[in-house]
Amino acid sequence: MATTKKTTKKENILTRERLIDLYMDYVLENGKTPNIIYKFTKDNGLKEEDFYNFFGSFEALQKGVWDKFFEHTMEVMQKSEEYSDFSAREKLLTFYYTFFEILSANRSYVLFSLKQEKSPLKKLGQLSTLRKQVKEFARDINREARIEAHGKTIKTPGSAFAEATWLQLLFLLKFWMDDNSLQFEKTDMAIEKSVNTVFDLFDTTTLERVLDFGKFIWKEKMA
């Protein structure tokens, strides 16, 4: 009995992660977002002020969902013993593969949350803190790439690389949303080709891989 009570009490402790899970469950079970914080918290056995200990609004919580996806991605990558020895290119590839695996595990929520918003600005609004996290990660990748270059001139500054990485993620996100292939294998192919293209552009500014990538996207979108 003592063990059961202890477990139940622990499960009732409200955390940022649990509040996010409750929100996602609501969206998936009801096919809509909650409108009133008071009712949402009451239905989940919480007090309204409990919500405000973590988020100021449902909009802030939506951003928190994407923060959680990013944080989980970083945790998974950094648990790997091999990750620290990866090259900058390999780290970016690993990030995308891991991030989209996590999105795939939450695909129903992601598709709903992005498709329900008709305004592009509102869609990007819930990704605003994710954008900051991704760009900071990209700056770290850029610094590692410069170290790996061993004195070789890399013309692309960290800020440009960070913005390119963010735009690349948005492109891959749209590609993944439209991908109906088995286990999203076409998205995996797009990730590899897009990352190789970016690094080749920054390293050698060759055109061949850009054209190859462009042909790949054209075929997939027109198929």
Side-chain angles (χ1 to χ4, degrees), residues 1-13:
M1 289 296 291
T3 303
T4 303
K5 286 183 179 179
K6 185 176 182 181
T7 302
T8 302
K9 184 177 180 181
K10 188 174 182 180
E11 289 176 350
N12 286 334
I13 296 175

PDB file of all heavy atoms in Angstrom, residues 1-13:
ATOM      1  N   MET A   1       0.824  -1.209   0.000  1.00  0.00           N
ATOM      2  CA  MET A   1       0.000   0.000   0.000  1.00  0.00           C
ATOM      3  C   MET A   1       0.861   1.264   0.000  1.00  0.00           C
ATOM      4  O   MET A   1       0.600   2.204  -0.706  1.00  0.00           O
ATOM      5  CB  MET A   1      -0.926  -0.003   1.226  1.00  0.00           C
ATOM      6  CG  MET A   1      -2.038  -1.034   1.116  1.00  0.00           C
ATOM      7  SD  MET A   1      -3.173  -0.671  -0.247  1.00  0.00           S
ATOM      8  CE  MET A   1      -3.968   0.788   0.374  1.00  0.00           C
ATOM      9  N   ALA A   2       1.933   1.229   0.828  1.00  0.00           N
ATOM     10  CA  ALA A   2       2.795   2.405   0.915  1.00  0.00           C
ATOM     11  C   ALA A   2       3.426   2.705  -0.443  1.00  0.00           C
ATOM     12  O   ALA A   2       3.523   3.848  -0.860  1.00  0.00           O
ATOM     13  CB  ALA A   2       3.868   2.194   1.973  1.00  0.00           C
ATOM     14  N   THR A   3       3.840   1.633  -1.139  1.00  0.00           N
ATOM     15  CA  THR A   3       4.462   1.815  -2.459  1.00  0.00           C
ATOM     16  C   THR A   3       3.476   2.399  -3.453  1.00  0.00           C
ATOM     17  O   THR A   3       3.805   3.284  -4.236  1.00  0.00           O
ATOM     18  CB  THR A   3       4.988   0.460  -2.990  1.00  0.00           C
ATOM     19  OG1 THR A   3       5.889  -0.085  -2.048  1.00  0.00           O
ATOM     20  CG2 THR A   3       5.677   0.647  -4.315  1.00  0.00           C
ATOM     21  N   THR A   4       2.225   1.923  -3.399  1.00  0.00           N
ATOM     22  CA  THR A   4       1.200   2.414  -4.321  1.00  0.00           C
ATOM     23  C   THR A   4       0.917   3.891  -4.102  1.00  0.00           C
ATOM     24  O   THR A   4       0.837   4.675  -5.042  1.00  0.00           O
ATOM     25  CB  THR A   4      -0.103   1.613  -4.129  1.00  0.00           C
ATOM     26  OG1 THR A   4       0.163   0.230  -4.333  1.00  0.00           O
ATOM     27  CG2 THR A   4      -1.171   2.077  -5.117  1.00  0.00           C
ATOM     28  N   LYS A   5       0.814   4.299  -2.850  1.00  0.00           N
ATOM     29  CA  LYS A   5       0.551   5.698  -2.537  1.00  0.00           C
ATOM     30  C   LYS A   5       1.691   6.591  -3.003  1.00  0.00           C
ATOM     31  O   LYS A   5       1.482   7.658  -3.544  1.00  0.00           O
ATOM     32  CB  LYS A   5       0.350   5.871  -1.027  1.00  0.00           C
ATOM     33  CG  LYS A   5      -0.987   5.338  -0.533  1.00  0.00           C
ATOM     34  CD  LYS A   5      -1.140   5.611   0.954  1.00  0.00           C
ATOM     35  CE  LYS A   5      -2.497   5.099   1.445  1.00  0.00           C
ATOM     36  NZ  LYS A   5      -2.657   5.330   2.896  1.00  0.00           N
ATOM     37  N   LYS A   6       2.919   6.109  -2.808  1.00  0.00           N
ATOM     38  CA  LYS A   6       4.093   6.887  -3.202  1.00  0.00           C
ATOM     39  C   LYS A   6       4.127   7.086  -4.713  1.00  0.00           C
ATOM     40  O   LYS A   6       4.397   8.166  -5.224  1.00  0.00           O
ATOM     41  CB  LYS A   6       5.364   6.185  -2.731  1.00  0.00           C
ATOM     42  CG  LYS A   6       6.630   6.996  -2.994  1.00  0.00           C
ATOM     43  CD  LYS A   6       7.846   6.277  -2.422  1.00  0.00           C
ATOM     44  CE  LYS A   6       9.107   7.099  -2.647  1.00  0.00           C
ATOM     45  NZ  LYS A   6      10.302   6.400  -2.115  1.00  0.00           N
ATOM     46  N   THR A   7       3.796   6.037  -5.462  1.00  0.00           N
ATOM     47  CA  THR A   7       3.790   6.119  -6.917  1.00  0.00           C
ATOM     48  C   THR A   7       2.718   7.078  -7.408  1.00  0.00           C
ATOM     49  O   THR A   7       2.938   7.894  -8.288  1.00  0.00           O
ATOM     50  CB  THR A   7       3.562   4.719  -7.532  1.00  0.00           C
ATOM     51  OG1 THR A   7       4.583   3.841  -7.067  1.00  0.00           O
ATOM     52  CG2 THR A   7       3.592   4.784  -9.046  1.00  0.00           C
ATOM     53  N   THR A   8       1.513   6.970  -6.808  1.00  0.00           N
ATOM     54  CA  THR A   8       0.407   7.826  -7.216  1.00  0.00           C
ATOM     55  C   THR A   8       0.730   9.290  -6.955  1.00  0.00           C
ATOM     56  O   THR A   8       0.494  10.159  -7.783  1.00  0.00           O
ATOM     57  CB  THR A   8      -0.869   7.440  -6.441  1.00  0.00           C
ATOM     58  OG1 THR A   8      -1.157   6.069  -6.685  1.00  0.00           O
ATOM     59  CG2 THR A   8      -2.046   8.295  -6.895  1.00  0.00           C
ATOM     60  N   LYS A   9       1.310   9.567  -5.805  1.00  0.00           N
ATOM     61  CA  LYS A   9       1.672  10.938  -5.462  1.00  0.00           C
ATOM     62  C   LYS A   9       2.697  11.484  -6.436  1.00  0.00           C
ATOM     63  O   LYS A   9       2.623  12.626  -6.881  1.00  0.00           O
ATOM     64  CB  LYS A   9       2.226  10.985  -4.026  1.00  0.00           C
ATOM     65  CG  LYS A   9       2.541  12.398  -3.552  1.00  0.00           C
ATOM     66  CD  LYS A   9       3.010  12.377  -2.108  1.00  0.00           C
ATOM     67  CE  LYS A   9       3.314  13.799  -1.633  1.00  0.00           C
ATOM     68  NZ  LYS A   9       3.802  13.806  -0.240  1.00  0.00           N
ATOM     69  N   LYS A  10       3.673  10.653  -6.796  1.00  0.00           N
ATOM     70  CA  LYS A  10       4.713  11.079  -7.731  1.00  0.00           C
ATOM     71  C   LYS A  10       4.119  11.389  -9.092  1.00  0.00           C
ATOM     72  O   LYS A  10       4.494  12.343  -9.760  1.00  0.00           O
ATOM     73  CB  LYS A  10       5.789   9.992  -7.838  1.00  0.00           C
ATOM     74  CG  LYS A  10       7.008  10.419  -8.639  1.00  0.00           C
ATOM     75  CD  LYS A  10       8.072   9.345  -8.578  1.00  0.00           C
ATOM     76  CE  LYS A  10       9.321   9.769  -9.338  1.00  0.00           C
ATOM     77  NZ  LYS A  10      10.368   8.732  -9.278  1.00  0.00           N
ATOM     78  N   GLU A  11       3.149  10.561  -9.528  1.00  0.00           N
ATOM     79  CA  GLU A  11       2.542  10.751 -10.831  1.00  0.00           C
ATOM     80  C   GLU A  11       1.703  12.028 -10.882  1.00  0.00           C
ATOM     81  O   GLU A  11       1.492  12.608 -11.938  1.00  0.00           O
ATOM     82  CB  GLU A  11       1.668   9.539 -11.182  1.00  0.00           C
ATOM     83  CG  GLU A  11       2.472   8.283 -11.499  1.00  0.00           C
ATOM     84  CD  GLU A  11       1.577   7.088 -11.755  1.00  0.00           C
ATOM     85  OE1 GLU A  11       0.359   7.205 -11.497  1.00  0.00           O
ATOM     86  OE2 GLU A  11       2.083   6.050 -12.204  1.00  0.00           O
ATOM     87  N   ASN A  12       1.201  12.471  -9.707  1.00  0.00           N
ATOM     88  CA  ASN A  12       0.360  13.656  -9.661  1.00  0.00           C
ATOM     89  C   ASN A  12       1.149  14.956  -9.608  1.00  0.00           C
ATOM     90  O   ASN A  12       0.573  16.031  -9.642  1.00  0.00           O
ATOM     91  CB  ASN A  12      -0.574  13.584  -8.441  1.00  0.00           C
ATOM     92  CG  ASN A  12      -1.689  12.562  -8.667  1.00  0.00           C
ATOM     93  OD1 ASN A  12      -2.054  12.295  -9.791  1.00  0.00           O
ATOM     94  ND2 ASN A  12      -2.193  11.999  -7.594  1.00  0.00           N
ATOM     95  N   ILE A  13       2.469  14.853  -9.481  1.00  0.00           N
ATOM     96  CA  ILE A  13       3.288  16.061  -9.467  1.00  0.00           C
ATOM     97  C   ILE A  13       3.289  16.675 -10.868  1.00  0.00           C
ATOM     98  O   ILE A  13       3.629  16.020 -11.846  1.00  0.00           O
ATOM     99  CB  ILE A  13       4.735  15.742  -9.031  1.00  0.00           C
ATOM    100  CG1 ILE A  13       4.751  15.233  -7.586  1.00  0.00           C
ATOM    101  CG2 ILE A  13       5.614  16.977  -9.170  1.00  0.00           C
ATOM    102  CD1 ILE A  13       6.115  14.789  -7.112  1.00  0.00           C
TER     103      ILE A  13
END
